Amino acid sequence: MSRRFLITVIAVLVIGTAAGLMAGLFFGTTRDLPQIEALKSFKPSSVSRVYSEDGVLLAEFYAEKRDPVPLAIVPTFLQNAIINTEDRNFYDHNGVDLKGIARAIVKDIIARDFVEGASTITQQLAKTLFLTREKSIDRKLKEAILAFQLERRYTKEEILELYLNQIYFGSGAYGVESASRIYFGKGVSELTLAECALLAGLPKSPSRYSPLVNPDKAIKRRDLVLKLLYNRHRITERAYKAAVEEPLALNGQKGRIHQAPYFIDYLKKELAGIVGLDRLYQDGLTIHTTLNLKLQIAGEASVAKNMARLEARMKKNRIKNPSPQCAFFAMDTKTGAILAMAGGRDFRKSPFNRATQAKRQPGSSFKPFIYGLAVEQGIDQNQMILDSPVSFSMGRGKKPWQPKNFSKKYSGEITLRKALALSKNIPAVRLADTIGVANVAAYARRLGITSPLSNNLSLSLGTSETTLMELTRAYAVFPNQGIRSTPMGITRIENRHGRTIWEGRPTHAVAIKRDDAAVITDMLAAVVTEGTGKQALSIGKPLAGKTGTTDNYRDALFLGFSPYVAAGVWVGNDDYTPLGRLETGARAALPIWTDLMETAWKNRPSAHFDIPDGVTTRHMDPDSGRITPEPVKGSVPALFKTP
């Protein structure tokens, strides 16, 4: 065997072995690579948005905030800044920058660690879309191979657009549009040169250079990017100097606190049951709600104003460190649409929803259910009832129950209309004893009270705890002709393509007869015109309602309605301590309710409460109950069921 032949054989074996090893390495590296074709159907998670009834954005839900935009609307300054910062040879390589890799390898060997990357924009895109963030030779090889495939199938402009819409910019923002809105409160097309440079400096280390976390470092990084653009003749000296002098003007969004946060949190639980949390946070849904933003804002402003006044009164009464809470709930009387909601004074400090979750004693605001049942049983509002001290036996060996009026004063014989208007306790207790406590509880449940109700006479004074939403729902039956509506907050849900995938429909049920509803509505209107709710007369529109105050001024409430809107307000301390002397429903809660209803009446046509054919208007003396054929001094028009 000749020497030349032997050398040839050895060379062939070495080359074959090397080729085999390389092929093995190649197939070993690529066998589990994702298919690049998947990019065609790639759908990143999108932002779901929640809107008020008039189309105002209330909130956004997202796991990764993404708002994809076409490359055409991304400022050239931002495109150049990204390319010059992340991959200056972007338009000259085929996905992998070999010179950059060689330079990085030398530095990594010297440092004996991964101290410098050499990933191109295409490689970064491949890693973002298909790979993990693990630092290893294997991942780098896969990244390079995927980058080559991306360059073969997509243009440089398409790759850049994908990159700009996928890269992470910190604070939950993925893509330039989301980053622009989070940091600057405007779309990417509106960014200045300085703002473009700031965004371009973020991908290197989003958390370190975030302007919301480290504004000083963000500015230094921005100025470095601007210097780079100037040195490479991408911007003029004049533009460079103006940009580095531009102050940092941030949007200031550091958390996802929405408008009407208690309402949004309430809806989140509803949405979890309708579409599931995964779809809510990833599918880019559009959620249309019933919230009336003007009413919501008016309610929140009134809470801030009146709670500050309450705190001042509490301090004057020597209550240390006062921190009273407040809740309000408003709904459309006919549809059940939730128009406004607040479960506390500050969602950031206390997300507990006192409108829907807190159970408190309603006090005298429970009395309309007693009088409503009396009307249903055929008792007229001019009937007389005794308002005098009374004692009820509680059984052998037990102390008798002796309820008292709030004022500790008694009027003797009094009409049902006046007893309700003045919120007398004794007449309510006597009436409940006559018509049956169990019947009163059943009547309240028909109207929408779902909380447990006690089967004793103290129920007549509102000792059984319930939620503000339940009470408001029950009151809404009266102006709605006796029909109970289920509160609803969502009208329609659309997918990312605008197709409706769920639609809310009002739910109704007949609770009481229309004639009975009209009479009790008339009696509750007397609370405003003749009784404890006179402050609401300032609005000059048809209103009805009832105050509520619990023992030792622990809870203050006002529940009521117009022909269009039912609303409830609660004020109290979370620890059940007193609000202070004379902090009744009329003083602590009614001012907020009045502000709500004044706003609720704006831009609505005039309307009156329902007067069906089965009732008759008569003139009565509210003190004696005497009916007169014509109006006389002191008489009031009142509704009676037609025999």
Side-chain angles (χ1 to χ4, degrees), residues 128-316:
T128 299
L129 294 177
F130 302 115
L131 301 173
T132 68
R133 302 185 68 84
E134 172 197 9
K135 287 187 175 182
S136 68
I137 297 296
D138 182 59
R139 196 219 69 194
K140 275 292 186 183
L141 287 171
K142 291 178 179 180
E143 184 183 287
I145 293 168
L146 287 169
F148 280 128
Q149 293 184 29
L150 285 170
E151 292 277 347
R152 285 175 52 206
R153 294 173 183 265
Y154 297 95
T155 66
K156 289 288 186 180
E157 287 70 24
E158 289 172 330
I159 290 171
L160 183 59
E161 181 178 305
L162 280 168
Y163 177 85
L164 291 172
N165 282 311
Q166 295 301 323
I167 202 68
Y168 184 55
F169 287 88
S171 298
Y174 287 79
V176 289
E177 177 72 8
S178 294
S180 178
R181 294 196 177 277
I182 283 181
Y183 293 126
F184 304 114
K186 56 187 175 182
V188 67
S189 62
E190 305 171 75
L191 293 181
T192 65
L193 169 59
E195 291 165 344
C196 288
L198 189 142
L199 289 191
L202 290 175
K204 180 178 178 63
S205 182
S207 59
R208 182 182 182 188
Y209 296 122
S210 168
L212 297 180
V213 179
N214 296 308
D216 292 338
K217 289 183 179 179
I219 291 175
K220 288 180 181 179
R221 177 69 176 164
R222 177 200 71 180
D223 293 349
L224 185 64
V225 173
L226 288 168
K227 185 70 172 178
L228 191 64
L229 290 173
Y230 172 62
N231 289 340
R232 292 177 181 169
H233 309 292
R234 297 296 184 180
I235 58 175
T236 64
E237 182 179 5
R238 182 178 180 182
Y240 166 71
K241 289 182 178 179
V244 294
E245 292 297 324
E246 184 176 308
L248 187 60
L250 296 175
N251 184 34
Q253 180 179 339
K254 294 188 178 181
R256 297 188 214 174
I257 293 297
H258 322 286
Q259 296 199 69
Y262 288 100
F263 175 71
I264 295 300
D265 191 60
Y266 171 82
L267 285 195
K268 182 179 174 182
K269 297 176 178 66
E270 297 280 307
L271 290 164
I274 297 171
V275 297
L277 290 179
D278 287 345
R279 294 189 67 186
L280 176 62
Y281 279 90
Q282 297 179 18
D283 282 13
L285 305 176
T286 299
I287 298 130
H288 299 276
T289 76
T290 58
L291 188 90
N292 183 303
L293 190 56
K294 290 181 180 178
L295 188 60
Q296 179 71 30
I297 292 172
E300 291 175 356
S302 183
V303 167
K305 175 183 68 178
N306 286 289
M307 295 303 283
R309 291 174 178 174
L310 173 58
E311 283 189 351
R313 295 196 300 268
M314 294 172 76
K315 289 177 181 177
K316 191 175 181 179

Side-chain angles (χ1 to χ4, degrees), residues 402-480:
Q402 298 176 325
K404 295 178 175 57
N405 283 337
F406 172 79
S407 65
K408 305 297 191 294
K409 297 178 181 179
Y410 304 91
S411 304
E413 291 284 330
I414 188 172
T415 63
L416 262 63
R417 178 187 180 96
K418 189 168 185 178
L420 179 60
L422 297 180
S423 197
K424 294 279 190 173
N425 286 345
I426 301 303
V429 175
R430 289 182 183 274
L431 189 58
D433 187 46
T434 300
I435 62 182
V437 173
N439 294 331
V440 172
Y443 181 88
R445 281 192 281 271
R446 267 193 279 152
L447 269 64
I449 301 297
T450 57
S451 296
L453 299 173
S454 64
N455 191 27
N456 58 63
L457 276 175
S458 68
L459 176 68
S460 59
L461 301 183
T463 56
S464 291
E465 296 178 339
T466 183
T467 68
L468 187 65
M469 183 169 74
E470 287 177 63
L471 285 170
T472 308
R473 175 191 185 185
Y475 269 67
V477 171
F478 300 137
N480 195 30

Side-chain angles (χ1 to χ4, degrees), residues 26-61:
F26 177 80
F27 287 114
T29 302
T30 60
R31 63 184 173 85
D32 60 344
L33 276 179
Q35 294 299 310
I36 211 73
E37 287 81 2
L39 188 55
K40 295 179 181 179
S41 58
F42 175 69
K43 293 180 180 179
S45 62
S46 300
V47 179
S48 291
R49 292 184 170 87
V50 184
Y51 294 91
S52 66
E53 64 170 355
D54 57 348
V56 177
L57 178 64
L58 298 176
E60 296 178 331
F61 292 108

